[in-house]
Amino acid sequence: MTLGAETIDEPVPAVPEEPAFIPTGATRPQLSVPQPDQADRLPRRNVAGREPGFWWLGVHGGAGETSLARLDKNTRAADHHWPLTATGSVVVLVARSNIPGLRAARLAATEWASRSLPGIQVAGLVVMADAPGRLPKEIRDFSRVVGGGVPHVWHFPWVDGWRYGHDIAPEELSKEARTVLEQVHLAVTVTAALPAK
């Protein structure tokens, strides 16, 4: 635009950027967190040579790590063990949406936060629905508390076919479930780019 002899530049509209993927909990191990008692720690396993894009780590039996790993051939179930490699591992914790499952997730998050797992990077926690329908308030509240110990928490909805042992293709999942998987992959990408602590 020209005013008299002076030229004024028109403001260029801002291009909207993708929203930043902001962690909602602890993003790295802490200096003052003590390890859980030996009986409360997950076992460790050397998995050199078997490194997937990332590991699903079920923090208790029946958590759902195997079902999640079947959805993506670039991931692997850690069989309830911290996966130790020479180059480090990105892990997504998995627990059922009940009090025992969330207690197990809290212990795993505490173990990671204690700095006793060099090379392990935790991208977050997937809380797998243990029944159809809405979670009771007590469990929702407890999952928020546990979620403060990891970078991200996702709630994976109930998949009825898994109850009957059916394999489910990713495209057969609900939109909510597919969105959770997309967010997990984004968090893993961000986590993998960070230096291991």
Side-chain angles (χ1 to χ4, degrees):
M1 167 195 286
T2 305
L3 264 176
E6 193 176 324
T7 302
I8 301 174
D9 291 330
E10 294 282 333
V12 178
V15 177
E17 293 182 20
E18 294 263 334
F21 198 69
I22 300 171
T24 56
T27 58
R28 62 179 177 252
Q30 310 297 309
L31 290 174
S32 60
V33 177
Q35 276 192 55
D37 292 336
Q38 182 67 37
D40 293 328
R41 296 181 209 161
L42 289 172
R44 301 168 188 199
R45 177 183 293 154
N46 185 338
V47 291
R50 299 174 37 200
E51 299 175 35
F54 68 92
W55 297 88
W56 300 104
L57 174 54
V59 297
H60 59 85
E65 67 178 358
T66 304
S67 296
L68 290 170
R70 284 187 187 130
L71 294 172
D72 184 345
K73 301 302 179 205
N74 294 320
T75 68
R76 199 170 261 158
D79 298 323
H80 313 294
H81 289 74
W82 291 107
L84 304 179
T85 67
T87 58
S89 300
V90 177
V91 169
V92 176
L93 303 177
V94 183
R96 283 287 170 189
S97 62
N98 53 44
I99 297 298
L102 292 170
R103 284 184 182 140
R106 181 176 59 186
L107 287 169
T110 302
E111 185 175 359
W112 168 69
S114 73
R115 303 174 68 102
S116 64
L117 297 159
I120 297 284
Q121 295 175 280
V122 173
L125 166 67
V126 173
V127 179
M128 302 287 286
D130 67 335
R134 186 171 164 83
L135 283 176
K137 181 180 183 323
E138 172 186 6
I139 294 175
R140 281 195 319 269
D141 291 347
F142 190 40
S143 72
R144 278 194 279 281
V145 170
V146 173
V150 294
H152 305 281
V153 176
W154 302 276
H155 290 271
F156 200 91
W158 177 255
V159 178
D160 202 53
W162 285 343
R163 172 183 272 180
Y164 299 100
H166 301 305
D167 279 338
I168 306 293
E171 59 274 8
E172 295 172 3
L173 293 170
S174 68
K175 182 174 180 0
E176 180 185 1
R178 291 192 314 270
T179 298
V180 167
L181 292 175
E182 289 168 11
Q183 290 175 354
V184 167
H185 279 272
L186 178 57
V188 165
T189 301
V190 169
T191 301
L194 299 172
K197 299 286 180 191

